[in-house]
Amino acid sequence: MLALLVGWLYSSILFHLAKQWSNDPNFSHGFFVPAFSLFVLWQDRTRLAGEPREPSSWGLLIVAFALSVLVVGVLGAELFLSRVSLLLLIAGLVIFFLGWRFFRAVLFPWMFLFLMIPIPEIVFGEITFPLQMLASKVAALLLPLLGVPVLREGNVINLPAMPLEVAEACSGIRSLLSLATLAIIYGYLIETRVWVRVALALASIPIAVAANSLRIVGTGLLVQYWDPDKAEGFFHLFSGWLVFVVSLAMLFIAHRLLQIGHRKNEARP
């Protein structure tokens, strides 16, 4: 009955959330987030079965707060608050029926669920524009070293063949969000040391930025030395996938370097 009630309350919110995952490439990784959280819970089912159940009435306060956030989100047409309220409601129910210790035991898969919620537009814009400018600056610095004269005007890189605009879609935010999510999954599956998991998650940020800057440099070289029309269409899409694969390889290399550095520290007398 409780599950049906929660499903009825959040059915439209979850429907629009899944629809945004399908239509917005920046958040298409959202489908994998709840699946991985469920996988973590299933993998830890034996340990969780041994956790003591100590129901706490504090959970009711969290449930009440979550429902208040839901009301504010619905009345204010604020999707982010409406979606976050579901996670708060889950936390409150777990604490009310199973207790704080059990909630701590499932804290990681619960916190991971926040990655499935798209960033609010105002925050998204504040992140995207600096990434656009950073990618433009890096490309404008590297292209002259490769024999391509450029004149940068904001996020537009003027090449001899044509101007190259670093649009919002080319800011790297898409690969940044996806790579950060995969870095957390990779760290959880491969590593047992918490500090290495955190380091891999943090390393995904500069890796994604660097890989996207290299993509723009490659596009500039393609425009200058081959055909400006090749910068769009299939080659543009293919370069996005290629850069993401390169980002994954760089993440793996970063992990190996962390392992080597740790072994050297352990080997020191």
Side-chain angles (χ1 to χ4, degrees), residues 75-107:
L75 294 180
E78 177 51 60
L79 293 176
F80 181 77
L81 289 179
S82 302
R83 294 161 178 175
V84 167
S85 70
L86 175 59
L87 302 187
L88 297 176
L89 181 64
I90 292 173
L93 292 175
V94 170
I95 293 169
F96 177 69
F97 287 108
L98 302 173
W100 288 99
R101 291 186 60 180
F102 193 92
F103 179 66
R104 284 196 294 268
V106 297
L107 186 60

Side-chain angles (χ1 to χ4, degrees), residues 7 39 53 56 60 81 85 90 94 100 120 124 128 135 151 158 164 170 176 190 198 225 258 267:
F39 168 77
R53 269 64 168 173
S56 173
L60 285 180
L81 289 179
S85 70
I90 292 173
V94 170
W100 288 99
F124 187 81
T128 302
L151 175 63
N158 294 293
L164 189 65
C170 301
L176 174 59
I190 303 299
V198 174
Y225 294 116
L258 287 172

Side-chain angles (χ1 to χ4, degrees), residues 17 21 28 30 35 40 54 59 63 78 82 124 153 166 169 187 210 246 253:
L17 178 60
W21 293 341
S28 58
V40 173
E54 300 171 350
V63 169
E78 177 51 60
S82 302
F124 187 81
E153 296 178 330
V166 182
V246 172
I253 293 172

Side-chain angles (χ1 to χ4, degrees), residues 8 10 23 28 35 41 50 58 60 74 79 92 94 117 131 146 162 178-179 186 197 203 216 224-225 230 243:
W8 174 74
Y10 288 92
N23 299 330
S28 58
L41 292 175
W58 284 99
L60 285 180
V74 172
L79 293 176
V94 170
I117 301 177
L131 288 176
L146 300 173
M162 63 176 287
S178 300
L179 187 64
Y186 174 79
R197 292 176 177 177
I216 296 172
Q224 182 66 21
Y225 294 116
K230 300 298 183 183
V243 166

